[in-house]
Amino acid sequence: MSETTTPQSMNASSKKKSSILTKPVIEWAMWDWGSAAFNAVATTFVFSVYLTHDGTFTDKGTASDYLSWGLFAAGIIIALLAPITGQRADRRGKGGVALSIFTVLVVICLALMFFVAPQGPLGPRGGLLLGIGLLGVGNIFFEFASVNYNAMLNHLSTKDNMGRISGLGWGSGYVGGIVLLLILYVGLINPEVGWFGITHENGLNIRVSMVIAALWMLLSSLPLMFHPVKPKHIDEKHGEHETLWDSYRKLGSTVKSLAKDTPHTLFFLIASAVFRDGLAGVFTFGAILAGTAFGFTSGEVIIFAIAANIVAGIATIAMGTLDDVIGPKQLIVLSLSCMVVAGMSVFFLHNGGKIIFWTFGLALCVFVGPTQSASRSFLGRMIPEGREGEVFGLYATTGRAVSFLAPAMYAVFLNLGRRWTPAGHDYTYWGILGIILILALGLILTLFVHPAKARLDSLQ
């Protein structure tokens, strides 16, 4: 793909602040729209559930264990390589090329999931391992693409409209998830015989869904792949002959310089890593909680997923304006506080049944997107020009570095619930306390970040 110049003019006056729906911004947000094919369909609600469903490939305990280790290995690779892929692309001015390459690789992983069948030539065990491998590799390429995608936010926006543009991107992802999940649910997942006579036999409906997801992501990404956002700053002296050792040495220098010159930026990377892991846990374990603690069927889980994406998408886009008005830190603190309250309500009122999960589960989802979007725009406001890729690479790395927190705390509180709940009574609702603990810790850490000082430091 060619590297062309398409960024929004940086000379817009404050009177034009509200006009963000330009062609470059829409093309950029379309990538987020398409990313739902991997985030919502592959990772969260469809393919991962297919892999771990009891009896499909093996028992659910063994399948979940294998999947956890596979994603753990992928997380290690991401933590090691994400920051240097970002900074190398930055210095070469090749962020758009890198985005295109990694996006195509994600699409290939999605398409290959068609061959993950319990009754295939590899057998159930081989099919499971193939599926986990494709999901893990896809996660690696998706994170690498996201580093370059996030870095484009600074080149596309001003300090005045960064929150709204970031919110538009996140919101587009949620809306894309709604549409795609609805298409797959109505056409393939829910009916016994779906479109074109596709049945559930040998997981064919899920496997075809992954091919549709691959096409969805590819077509949605093409506008940005053909018209990538060109960086404002390119280091002509570095890049083409840079070794991996050079990249890691520069990464070390980045961390040291952040600690010395802009410690609040570095501290925010740590704080956001904690609460972003909690946010991921809300969606990852929300579907599990719905089924185990509140008795949702698989179809009801998909319906809840669609509703969750609707409220998350609307809230994210709407609160992008609030981000620009009150500031991203205030929005993050407000959102995390509301999520802690909603999560505790799920715990204490769980005996109320499905209506409790629908009410407070959706309340949790209202604030997930705004927190993610505000986190990205908060960091974008701190980054010195020309260092977007390397800092957003660290953003991806720090998020992955603590990705064990939510699963670990979920398991810890499940075990506490098992011990403290009378025999014969459900205890799985205790798991949400682990997620709430992570969100609360991230909230406390964020309170100590001073945005004014961070912005001042980034100019030094």
Side-chain angles (χ1 to χ4, degrees), residues 196-258:
F196 312 111
I198 293 172
T199 67
H200 294 217
E201 185 177 355
N202 204 23
L204 183 60
N205 62 330
I206 303 297
R207 292 157 52 207
V208 172
S209 294
M210 303 319 298
V211 175
I212 294 174
L215 292 172
W216 180 278
M217 185 169 187
L218 178 62
L219 294 175
S220 300
S221 301
L222 285 177
L224 187 61
M225 291 164 65
F226 281 109
H227 304 108
V229 180
K230 184 177 180 180
K232 302 179 221 174
H233 172 89
I234 300 175
D235 188 344
E236 302 290 351
K237 298 179 181 179
H238 299 283
E240 295 304 326
H241 303 291
E242 182 179 312
T243 65
L244 285 177
W245 172 250
D246 291 334
S247 296
Y248 280 113
R249 181 172 52 80
K250 288 176 170 49
L251 173 61
S253 298
T254 296
V255 175
K256 289 179 181 178
S257 66
L258 287 175

Side-chain angles (χ1 to χ4, degrees), residues 59-108:
D59 66 277
K60 61 184 178 182
T62 301
S64 298
D65 187 44
Y66 284 5
L67 179 61
S68 298
W69 282 111
L71 295 181
F72 171 78
I76 294 296
I77 295 173
I78 291 166
L80 291 174
L81 296 179
I84 64 170
T85 60
Q87 63 170 310
R88 284 162 72 94
D90 253 3
R91 284 193 288 273
R92 298 176 182 183
K94 299 293 184 181
V97 173
L99 174 75
S100 299
I101 292 172
F102 292 129
T103 297
V104 170
L105 291 172
V106 174
V107 169
I108 291 173

Side-chain angles (χ1 to χ4, degrees), residues 39-57:
N39 281 332
V41 177
T43 303
T44 307
F45 296 115
V46 179
F47 190 70
S48 60
V49 174
Y50 167 65
L51 292 179
T52 56
H53 190 272
D54 199 23
T56 301
F57 291 92

Side-chain angles (χ1 to χ4, degrees), residues 340-355:
V340 170
V341 172
M344 293 302 292
S345 298
V346 171
F347 177 77
F348 285 111
L349 302 176
H350 69 277
N351 284 330
K354 293 180 180 179
I355 187 63

Side-chain angles (χ1 to χ4, degrees), residues 94-443:
K94 299 293 184 181
V97 173
L99 174 75
S100 299
I101 292 172
F102 292 129
T103 297
V104 170
L105 291 172
V106 174
V107 169
I108 291 173
C109 288
L110 284 169
L112 289 176
M113 290 176 185
F114 174 81
F115 299 100
V116 178
Q119 304 303 321
L122 297 177
R125 182 184 177 87
L128 175 64
L129 294 178
L130 174 62
I132 292 172
L134 290 172
L135 196 58
V137 172
N139 263 288
I140 293 171
F141 293 141
F142 185 83
E143 288 293 337
F144 288 175
S146 296
V147 169
N148 293 283
Y149 175 78
N150 288 335
M152 290 179 180
L153 177 62
N154 264 38
H155 310 313
L156 195 65
S157 63
T158 67
K159 301 299 182 184
D160 291 328
N161 62 22
M162 186 176 290
R164 281 172 292 154
I165 292 178
S166 180
L168 177 66
W170 276 111
S172 297
Y174 285 120
V175 176
I178 296 164
V179 177
L180 182 54
L181 283 170
L182 191 58
I183 290 171
L184 297 180
Y185 176 77
V186 171
L188 296 171
I189 295 174
N190 187 54
E192 289 296 324
V193 180
W195 291 337
F196 312 111
I198 293 172
T199 67
H200 294 217
E201 185 177 355
N202 204 23
L204 183 60
N205 62 330
I206 303 297
R207 292 157 52 207
V208 172
S209 294
M210 303 319 298
V211 175
I212 294 174
L215 292 172
W216 180 278
M217 185 169 187
L218 178 62
L219 294 175
S220 300
S221 301
L222 285 177
L224 187 61
M225 291 164 65
F226 281 109
H227 304 108
V229 180
K230 184 177 180 180
K232 302 179 221 174
H233 172 89
I234 300 175
D235 188 344
E236 302 290 351
K237 298 179 181 179
H238 299 283
E240 295 304 326
H241 303 291
E242 182 179 312
T243 65
L244 285 177
W245 172 250
D246 291 334
S247 296
Y248 280 113
R249 181 172 52 80
K250 288 176 170 49
L251 173 61
S253 298
T254 296
V255 175
K256 289 179 181 178
S257 66
L258 287 175
K260 178 182 177 182
D261 300 327
T262 174
H264 285 275
T265 301
L266 183 60
F267 192 77
F268 178 70
L269 286 171
I270 297 170
S272 69
V274 175
F275 70 68
R276 282 186 291 133
D277 190 48
L279 298 176
V282 168
F283 270 100
T284 301
F285 295 103
I288 296 173
L289 268 174
T292 59
F294 292 90
F296 279 53
T297 66
S298 58
E300 289 173 328
V301 169
I302 296 294
I303 294 299
F304 180 84
I306 293 170
N309 276 275
I310 289 174
V311 299
I314 293 173
T316 303
I317 295 173
M319 290 192 189
T321 300
L322 191 60
D323 181 328
D324 289 329
V325 173
I326 69 173
K329 177 186 174 180
Q330 287 77 5
L331 182 54
I332 292 169
V333 170
L334 172 65
S335 297
L336 291 176
S337 299
C338 292
M339 292 182 74
V340 170
V341 172
M344 293 302 292
S345 298
V346 171
F347 177 77
F348 285 111
L349 302 176
H350 69 277
N351 284 330
K354 293 180 180 179
I355 187 63
I356 294 298
F357 190 83
W358 270 103
T359 302
F360 294 104
L362 288 181
L364 278 164
C365 294
V366 166
F367 297 101
V368 171
T371 307
Q372 292 170 320
S373 175
S375 177
R376 182 168 64 183
S377 71
F378 192 20
L379 184 61
R381 286 172 163 91
M382 301 180 192
I383 302 174
E385 186 175 307
R387 300 179 66 180
E388 293 83 5
E390 59 183 317
V391 177
F392 272 115
L394 282 174
Y395 186 66
T397 299
T398 52
R400 284 291 180 169
V402 298
S403 60
F404 62 89
L405 281 177
M409 288 300 99
Y410 190 87
V412 166
F413 279 90
L414 276 181
N415 279 283
L416 290 176
R418 183 185 292 115
R419 292 183 180 183
W420 295 346
T421 302
H425 290 74
D426 177 65
Y427 61 86
T428 55
Y429 65 92
W430 276 76
I432 196 170
L433 290 181
I435 306 302
I436 298 307
L437 178 63
I438 301 303
L439 293 173
L441 178 58
L443 168 61

